[in-house]
Amino acid sequence: AAVNFVSHDGEKHEAPLEEGQSLMQVAVDNGIPGIDGDCGGEAACGTCHVVVDEQWADTVGGSGPVEEEMLSMTPERQPTSRLSCQMNVTDGWDGLTVHLPEFQM
Ligand code: FES
């Protein structure tokens, strides 16, 4: 089982699906470029911004109020933007694809 991070230039990085972790933690553990997680998962830095692939938007769901506030200040905000530290990985996310905004490269 794996989740996929696609950088702005189209490069795909795969990470193992680690249930119960935040998606940000999975990315950091696996050295995914473009996900820094500077605030440690407090929805306060915006360096874990990902754009959820359209196909996965319903499965993953939308942002919460605190997350939304941070996202509203984030450049390159997209309709399916999420802070990956606020996304708790579950079994059903096998094959999940998220895209990384350009500025995080
Ligand atoms: Fe800082 Fe997600 S790690 S907002």
Side-chain angles (χ1 to χ4, degrees), residues 24 37-41 43-46 48 83 85:
M24 178 276 279
D38 285 345
C39 74
C45 70
C48 67
L83 295 175
C85 67

Side-chain angles (χ1 to χ4, degrees), residues 53-73:
D53 196 272
E54 295 281 329
Q55 282 184 306
W56 284 91
D58 286 347
T59 309
V60 166
S63 52
V66 178
E67 178 182 358
E68 189 55 44
E69 203 169 306
M70 186 67 227
L71 278 173
S72 69
M73 297 184 281

Side-chain angles (χ1 to χ4, degrees), residues 14-98:
E14 213 177 78
L17 186 145
E18 294 169 25
E19 200 194 349
Q21 297 270 33
S22 75
L23 190 63
M24 178 276 279
Q25 198 59 54
V26 172
V28 169
D29 286 352
N30 290 280
I32 304 298
I35 306 268
D36 293 335
D38 285 345
C39 74
E42 302 296 326
C45 70
T47 64
C48 67
H49 177 203
V50 298
V51 178
V52 176
D53 196 272
E54 295 281 329
Q55 282 184 306
W56 284 91
D58 286 347
T59 309
V60 166
S63 52
V66 178
E67 178 182 358
E68 189 55 44
E69 203 169 306
M70 186 67 227
L71 278 173
S72 69
M73 297 184 281
T74 306
E76 300 188 88
R77 167 80 201 266
Q78 305 290 323
T80 60
S81 285
R82 292 290 312 268
L83 295 175
S84 58
C85 67
Q86 303 302 305
M87 299 168 67
N88 288 317
V89 176
T90 72
D91 266 352
W93 290 13
D94 184 20
L96 170 70
T97 299
V98 299

